[in-house]
């Protein structure tokens, strides 16, 4: 029998430092700390990941053969995980046209709840994986759960990965996915964009690009453990204090160099902390208290709050990077996804919640 999910925190307060949650640069962003010690399941899984997965991730190769091997391993593992039985998976192929006029397709998955009424709202989810690995299949534990919890279709594009397709190719595909939802009849005010890790970076970048290019603004934005600073300078400052189960700032910085390539460091599509966030819809950020990218998430939350955005920062004490993937096993992950569904319902219910226009 599955353990019972803990009740959501009763009050919001700034995160507090603890042995599992090192002190980081304080922010003014509103947020809460879960205020609970990690569950037994979380403690056991964290230790297993630290002993088994962290050494592998730390040696994640940056050359093509090694990357292909890592992708194959992730996809093989994805077959064993499966998805929530309450959601159906449908393949999607969107015809596109490249700048040179050649036609291609953007593939993806649409996860639809088996029960309940699906209206005119949808979630656009962008998977993580450092921009180099993972796929819609690997993230079905999150996306299928989102579809069931929200009773909404969740579209997950198979955006182009690096190094074969340098940035901004992933962003171009994310924009194409957003435009496809609009063409399918989903109003922008009824679309929530979400993503984790590198997909969180892409989701935030997409939201900023939507505002800059004058597209209709979505209803909200959900970020799980977002990778905010591709240089990882802020995370490296606190790396010695972090006890993430499988990720380190040094590993992420190595991947970041591959992602950035020859791009300009001040490109607003990459340097999220340099962006103007005026006019952005409500944002929910969830981050593990013990994870490597927590300082970046807190700094982004502060930047959003300073810009006047309704930003809700949630720090889940003792949790690791994108712990929501293990929602079938961790009570904290199930509670975090319950919070996500509550946030999505709130921004879709309140007609004044999302921004009404674009930002120049």
């Amino acid at each position: 029998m599955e353990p019972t999910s803990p009740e959501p925190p009763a009050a919001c307060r700034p995160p507090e430092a603890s042995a599992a949650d090192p002190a980081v640069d304080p922010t003014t962003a509103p947020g809460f700390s879960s205020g609970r010690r990690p569950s037994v399941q979380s403690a056991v899984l964290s230790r297993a990941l630290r002993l088994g997965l962290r050494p592998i991730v730390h040696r994640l190769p940056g050359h093509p053969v090694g990357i292909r091997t890592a992708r194959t391993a992730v996809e093989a593992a994805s077959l064993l995980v499966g998805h929530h039985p309450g959601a159906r998976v449908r393949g999607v192929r969107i015809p596109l046209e490249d700048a040179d006029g050649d036609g291609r397709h953007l593939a993806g998955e649409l996860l639809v709840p088996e029960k309940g009424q699906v209206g005119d709202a949808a979630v656009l989810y962008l998977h993580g994986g450092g921009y180099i690995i993972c796929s819609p299949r690997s993230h079905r534990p999150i996306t299928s759960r989102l579809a069931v919890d929200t009773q909404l279709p969740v579209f997950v594009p198979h955006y182009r990965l690096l190094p074969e397709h340098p940035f901004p190719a992933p962003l171009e595909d994310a924009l194409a996915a957003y435009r496809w939802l609009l063409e399918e009849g989903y109003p922008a005010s009824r679309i929530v964009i979400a993503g984790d890790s590198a997909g969180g970076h892409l989701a935030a970048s997409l939201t900023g690009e939507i505002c800059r290019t004058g597209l209709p603004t979505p209803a909200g934005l959900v970020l799980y453990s977002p990778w905010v600073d591709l240089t990882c300078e802020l995370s490296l400052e606190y790396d010695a204090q972090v006890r993430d189960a499988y990720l380190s700032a040094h590993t992420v910085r190595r991947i970041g160099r591959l992602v950035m390539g020859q791009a300009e460091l001040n490109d607003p599509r990459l340097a999220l902390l340099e962006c103007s966030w005026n006019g952005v819809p409500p944002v929910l950020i969830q981050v593990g208290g013990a994870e490597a990218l927590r300082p970046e998430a807190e700094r982004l939350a502060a930047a959003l709050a300073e810009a006047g955005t309704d930003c809700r920062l949630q720090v889940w004490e003792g949790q690791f990077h994108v712990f929501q993937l293990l929602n079938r096993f961790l009570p904290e992950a199930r509670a975090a996804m319950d919070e996500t569904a509550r946030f999505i319902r709130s921004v879709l219910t309140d007609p004044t919640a999302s921004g009404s226009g674009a930002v120049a």
Side-chain angles (χ1 to χ4, degrees):
M1 188 168 79
E2 285 191 340
T4 304
S5 299
E7 290 296 320
C12 291
R13 56 185 175 84
E16 298 174 355
S18 69
D21 302 292
V24 295
D25 191 41
T27 75
T28 58
F32 75 66
S33 169
S34 60
R36 297 171 180 266
R37 294 179 63 85
S39 65
V40 174
Q41 298 96 314
S42 176
V44 170
L45 270 170
S46 293
R47 182 170 179 80
L49 290 171
R50 190 169 185 85
L51 293 175
L53 185 60
R54 186 181 175 96
I56 297 174
V57 173
H58 188 68
R59 292 172 175 80
L60 187 67
H63 52 81
V65 174
I67 290 173
R68 285 198 296 271
T69 302
R71 289 174 182 168
T72 301
V74 168
E75 289 306 300
S78 301
L79 294 174
L80 302 175
V81 176
H83 63 279
H84 195 294
R88 301 191 308 275
V89 181
R90 300 177 181 171
V92 173
R93 283 175 62 83
I94 305 170
L96 301 175
E97 186 175 290
D98 288 332
D100 57 7
D102 295 334
R104 67 180 183 91
H105 287 82
L106 173 62
E109 292 184 351
L110 190 67
L111 294 102
V112 182
E114 289 277 8
K115 298 180 180 179
Q117 296 183 352
V118 178
D120 64 345
V123 177
L124 171 58
Y125 193 91
L126 302 167
H127 68 81
Y131 281 115
I132 60 174
I133 61 173
C134 295
S135 68
R137 179 189 292 274
S138 66
H139 281 63
R140 285 180 185 174
I142 286 180
T143 55
S144 61
R145 177 71 186 247
L146 270 180
V148 172
D149 287 354
T150 62
Q151 291 296 292
L152 298 174
V154 178
F155 178 49
V156 194
H158 203 321
Y159 61 83
R160 288 170 291 175
L161 299 177
L162 286 83
E164 298 92 335
H165 305 284
F167 206 88
L171 179 57
E172 292 169 355
D173 288 349
L175 274 167
Y178 185 71
R179 290 192 176 102
W180 178 77
L181 286 174
L182 295 175
E183 292 167 0
E184 288 293 297
Y186 296 101
S189 60
R190 302 285 289 163
I191 298 173
V192 174
I193 297 174
D196 67 276
S197 193
H201 180 278
L202 184 55
S205 179
L206 171 61
T207 303
E209 191 73 356
I210 286 169
C211 293
R212 284 189 292 271
T213 58
L215 282 170
T217 309
L221 176 64
V222 176
L223 305 176
Y224 294 150
S225 302
W227 187 13
V228 175
D229 176 17
L230 299 186
T231 68
C232 295
E233 291 180 2
L234 184 59
S235 294
L236 283 168
E237 184 179 347
Y238 297 96
D239 190 53
Q241 307 173 49
V242 170
R243 297 182 59 82
D244 192 291
Y246 64 91
L247 200 65
S248 75
H250 290 278
T251 301
V252 179
R253 180 177 65 169
R254 183 155 43 86
I255 299 171
R257 290 170 177 163
L258 178 65
V259 173
M260 296 191 71
Q262 301 300 315
E264 296 291 334
L265 290 176
N266 60 353
D267 186 333
R269 299 171 299 178
L270 290 171
L272 299 184
L273 294 177
E274 304 300 321
C275 293
S276 171
W277 292 107
N278 296 321
V280 172
V283 181
L284 170 65
I285 300 176
Q286 292 184 348
V287 63
E291 75 162 277
L293 299 185
R294 173 180 169 180
E296 298 184 15
E298 293 186 316
R299 184 64 62 84
L300 177 61
L304 289 165
E306 288 168 5
T309 300
D310 175 8
C311 179
R312 311 170 198 187
L313 171 67
Q314 298 181 351
V315 178
W316 293 82
E317 291 185 10
Q319 300 309 306
F320 44 85
H321 187 64
V322 197
F323 65 99
Q324 296 87 348
L325 268 169
L326 296 175
N327 61 77
R328 292 178 61 187
F329 311 103
L330 296 183
E332 293 92 344
R334 289 193 293 276
M337 297 210 67
D338 288 343
E339 287 286 320
T340 301
R342 185 175 294 109
F343 169 81
I344 290 175
R345 285 192 294 269
S346 73
V347 298
L348 294 178
T349 300
D350 182 0
T352 65
S354 100
S356 58
V359 177

